[in-house]
């Protein structure tokens, strides 16, 4: 999708790879998270670190029997937000999200999802007005900080995902 190295914002300074996402294109369900982390910056695939493992588990736990829906996972920005080569992750700035939004819109056009799911408050805050029918869950990183699968919020998120998956599976 991104045909040449993007330099629309300062995130290119410390990236190793552009992280567009992972999954099937087209896909029934599109998850939009916050931003790539350290693991994703190395692998070039979205949600491959601890948060990705938990999101995979959440999808599995919410999947109805004989599930045939396809999934694609991406983020609001395609480069890791950090302020130094070995720095900590941070939230993307509004300017960084705006600079990357044409890439996200192009990806959404290719994925053609039946349903968008915001994974966390960052993606929801930037794109809820654009996609009012999208559903929001808590970001897997938040759930990890709350105890992961032991978190009191885990089952709430599973219920939300199950309802979404069952709704689209019926169509």
């Amino acid at each position: 999708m991104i045909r040449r190295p993007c330099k629309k914002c300062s995130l290119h300074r410390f990236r190793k790879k552009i992280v567009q996402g992972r999954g099937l294109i087209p896909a029934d369900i599109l998850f939009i998270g916050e931003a790539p982390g350290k693991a994703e910056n190395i692998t070039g695939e979205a949600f491959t670190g601890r948060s990705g493992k938990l999101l995979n588990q959440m999808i599995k736990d919410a999947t109805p029997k004989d599930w045939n829906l396809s999934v694609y996972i991406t983020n609001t920005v395609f480069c890791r937000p950090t302020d130094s080569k070995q720095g900590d992750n941070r939230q993307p700035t509004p300017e960084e999200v705006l600079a990357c939004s044409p890439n996200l819109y192009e990806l959404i056009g290719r994925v053609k999802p039946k349903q968008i799911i915001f994974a966390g408050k960052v993606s929801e805050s930037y794109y809820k007005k654009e996609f009012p029918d999208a559903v929001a869950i808590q970001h897997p990183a938040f759930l990890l900080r709350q105890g992961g699968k032991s978190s009191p919020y885990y089952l709430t998120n599973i219920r939300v995902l199950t309802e979404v998956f069952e709704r689209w599976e019926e169509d």
Side-chain angles (χ1 to χ4, degrees):
M1 184 176 83
I2 298 176
R3 288 155 189 64
R4 57 191 138 82
C6 177
K7 294 186 178 179
K8 293 179 184 175
C9 73
S10 63
L11 293 181
H12 74 276
R13 294 180 302 147
F14 302 116
R15 78 164 171 244
K16 292 186 189 309
K17 295 189 177 175
I18 294 173
V19 182
Q20 294 180 56
R22 68 176 168 95
L24 298 173
I25 294 178
D28 298 313
I29 307 291
L30 174 67
F31 285 89
I32 303 175
E34 180 178 312
K38 278 186 182 181
E40 293 80 7
N41 193 33
I42 293 167
T43 64
E45 289 189 348
F47 281 85
T48 55
R50 291 180 59 227
S51 292
K53 288 181 178 133
L54 186 60
L55 181 58
N56 290 344
Q57 185 63 53
M58 292 169 67
I59 293 168
K60 183 178 176 186
D61 289 348
T63 301
K65 293 179 185 171
D66 301 323
W67 185 49
N68 292 318
L69 294 175
S70 53
V71 172
Y72 195 87
I73 303 168
T74 192
N75 285 296
T76 58
V77 296
F78 293 1
C79 297
R80 178 178 176 232
T82 186
D83 296 317
S84 66
K85 202 166 211 144
Q86 298 300 321
D88 293 330
N89 296 340
R90 62 167 174 78
Q91 286 188 357
T93 65
E95 295 79 20
E96 292 162 348
V97 173
L98 182 63
C100 203
S101 65
N103 298 327
L104 181 61
Y105 288 127
E106 183 181 339
L107 179 66
I108 291 169
R110 289 179 55 222
V111 173
K112 297 178 178 71
K114 295 177 184 175
Q115 179 69 57
I116 292 175
I117 299 174
F118 299 125
K121 293 198 179 294
V122 170
S123 57
E124 182 180 19
S125 68
Y126 285 109
Y127 291 104
K128 184 64 176 174
K129 287 181 184 172
E130 298 283 331
F131 305 104
D133 295 331
V135 173
I137 61 169
Q138 290 165 317
H139 196 285
F142 169 80
L143 294 174
L144 285 168
R145 290 190 299 273
Q146 304 301 314
K149 284 187 74 173
S150 304
S151 163
Y153 307 109
Y154 186 81
L155 289 178
T156 301
N157 286 277
I158 297 304
R159 280 192 286 279
V160 170
L161 290 177
T162 299
E163 288 174 13
V164 170
F165 294 168
E166 287 176 344
R167 177 176 50 225
W168 289 109
E169 184 62 24
E170 291 170 1
D171 287 351

